[in-house]
Structure formats: structure tokens, C-alpha cells
Amino acid sequence: MKEKILSAFTSLNSILNKGHQRSVKAKKNILASFVIRGCNIAISLVLVPLTIHYVNPTKYGVWLTLSSIIAWFSFFDIGFGNGLRNKFAEAIAKGDHKQARIYLSTTYAILSMIIAFVLIVFFCVNPFINWSTILNAPAGMAEELSTLALLVFVFFCLQFVLQLVTTIITANQQPAKASFFNFLGSLFSLAIIFILTKTTTSGSLVYLGLALGVTPVLVLTASSLWFYNHSYKQYAPSFKYIKFGYARNLMSLGLKFFIIQIAAIIFYETSNLIIAQLFGPAQVTSYNIAYKYFGVIPMVMSIVTMPFWSAFTEAWVKNDIQWIKTTMERLRLLCFSLAIVAVLMLLVSNFIYKMWVGSQIIIPISVSASIASYVILNAWNAIHSQFLNGVGKIKLQLYFALGGSMVNIPLAVFLGKNLGIYGVVLSTTIISIIIAIFSPIQYNKIINNRAQGIWAK
């Protein structure tokens, strides 16, 4: 038995260390990310029914909708996070560690000022916002929802700045380490909610917000202190390295990412709000359970493609075109394999739902089918967007994101009213099909040096 285990370990080690150094680094991070994300899935599978049991399907739907709305505020980084990712990776590829530290310190300073302003504004306007109306919740929950919104927003803002440590770790092609932070946050949240179910008699959304909000902040704070005093000490943010003149370099690319972020939030995150308004908060729970189930597909694709954004940046800077082509072929093959998995998941979806959350929540097969189609398209688009993001050719993505965001809401409302929840999901699927056609065309033009005009920007 020991010999078999040793042989398997030797074979795995041989596979991991075979190939280009960039590929070796990516493979190791992918394997580690699978283990970490696998643990995250296990936690999520337990957390969903536990949370629903702690509150109830309607309150859980309210929580999901509010979380989606708060997530919209992520566009306040004005693209600096993604701009930093590319500029930091470029500086590392060139061996310019001082420039990398300047970019990081400047980004911390700018985002801290932005988020301080946003927090002050939110504190002033929150008392006047009727969250019960926005979330289509019972009027008696108004005070609780106002408190919850304030807590969630404060924790979100703290994460907003603190998560820059994950940006530079990912930019340095170590996304597995960044994923580990999410795992710890989810694990601690699960522990707190489990304790709440045993110590309280009625579910409180405020307690739920505290449980799911405070743990990521604590994990990111501890992680930042550790990394900036150890392996990333040479990049640790410092006042003397803040150079606001570098903001222009960050913004030149970051502004495009910023617009794409806004459009993507409108495109992807409005489904919860539309469903809540058209069908009630309880139906948001049904939609999200199906989305979490099929979310395994984009999660796998995210794990695999995450190391390649910065790897594509490095390869592009060093003109390693053949490595890019070989890697893209392998990623496309993976996407086709995941499409088959999604179809199999659809066939057994009703059985899995009953085993997972019981029979109290009914999810129509039409909703599952539309989400399955969407995640397949999203996986295909993710492959090409990682390359385009890495090389900074994102103007066409910007136009599609803007166009899609403007069309999606009215189309989702129209299809929702006529087809039900299935129609809301169908809207994003239709738009994703268009992106899935043009993204590979742009990739082929760029990689074969035939891109001109909008294709080359």
C-alpha cells in the first residue's frame, strides 16, 4: 500500500513539475485551489440549509438580495484593483520591485480615500432609505433591515481595501493563497452560524450579517499583517512610496476595467432584485440554490483560469506566443468537458435539490436548464476574457458589457413577466451567447497579429 501511495505521489509530482516554469507554477496553484475550493464547496453546501433553517426562506431571500445590492458598490474602486493587478504583474515580470511597491502603496492610498468618502455618504443617507420597499419585504422589518444594511456596508467597505493583499498575491501567480483567505472566512462564518442556531430561538438577520461580515474582515486583516511582514515585505505599502502621479498609469487601464465592472454588476447582479420585485424574496432563494448548484462549473473554470490572467501578462511581455496558444487550446478542451458535466448535473438536479435542501423549496426544471446554459457560456467566455484582460485588450469587452447591461434589465423584466423566473435567467443567457461568439474572434486576431481597429484595443 505504501509503495502505491509513494508511486502515485511520485507520478503527481512529475506531472506538476513538467513543462515551462510558468505552467508549473499554474499547475501547482490549480491543484491547491481545487483542494481549497473543494473545502469551500463543502462549507457552502452545509451553510445554505443551515442559514435557511436559522432564519427562513423569505428572510434568506431578503439577505441575498441586500447582499447583491451592496455588492454593486464594488465599482467604487474605479478599476484600480484590476489596474493594479496588471501593472504589478508587469513590474514583477521586468524585475522592477520598487515600481511594484509604488503601484501598491498608491492604490491603497487612493482606495482608502474613496471608501472613506463613500462611508460618510452612506451613513448620512441610510436613515432615509426604505429598505423594506426596495427588498419587497414586510414593513415590520424596516428597522432591522436598516441596521443590517449599515453593518453589511461597513464590513464590505473594510474588505474593499483589505482585499488588495489578495490582488497582489494573485498578480504574482499565487491565487491558491488568496483562495485560502475565503476558505477561512467561510469556515469561521459556518462555526458562528452553527453556534447561533444552538443559542438563539429566532433567526436574526442582524446576527447573520455580523456572522458573514466580520469573519472575512478579520481574516484579511491578519493575512495582510502576516504577508507584509514576511514574504511580501519588499512590497509592503508605505507612505513614502505613495506617488499619485502613478495613478494615471493605473487609471489608463483601470478605467476600462471600472466601466466593465459597473456593467457586469448591472448585468449579473440585478437578477436577484428583479426576481424579488416580480415574484417575492422567497423565489430569490430558489434561484440562488439552483445557481449555487450549477456554480460548480464556473467555480472549476475560475480555479483553472485564475493563475493565467497574470501568466498571460508575463508571457505577453516576454513575447512567448507559443505558450499562450498551447495554454488556450487546453483551456478550451476543459470547457467542452465541463459542458458535458453541466448537462449531467441538469439530468439529476431535482434529486440533488431534494437531498440538499428538502422538498420545501421547488425549483422548476426550466430555471435549472437556463442556468446550466448560462454557466457553460460563462465558462467559455472566461477563457478568452482572462487572456484579453491579461494583455490589456479590453475595449471590445467594454462595449459588450455596456450594451449588455443596458439591454439586460428591460429584457429580463419583459421575459420575467411573460415566462416567470426562467425568463430572467434567459435574458443573461441570450447576451452571453453574443459575447461567446466575438471573444474568440478577437483572441484569434490578436494572437495571430492580425488585429486592427477595435480588435486591437
Side-chain angles (χ1 to χ4, degrees), residues 53 86 117 259 267 278 415 426 444 456:
H53 175 71
N86 275 39
F117 173 76
I259 298 172
F267 184 50
L278 293 179
L415 293 177
L426 183 61
N444 287 328

Side-chain angles (χ1 to χ4, degrees), residues 70-71 73-74 115 151-161:
I70 298 298
F73 289 91
S74 62
I115 213 61
L151 284 173
V152 172
F153 193 74
V154 169
F155 287 132
F156 168 82
C157 288
L158 292 173
Q159 290 184 62
F160 188 83
V161 177

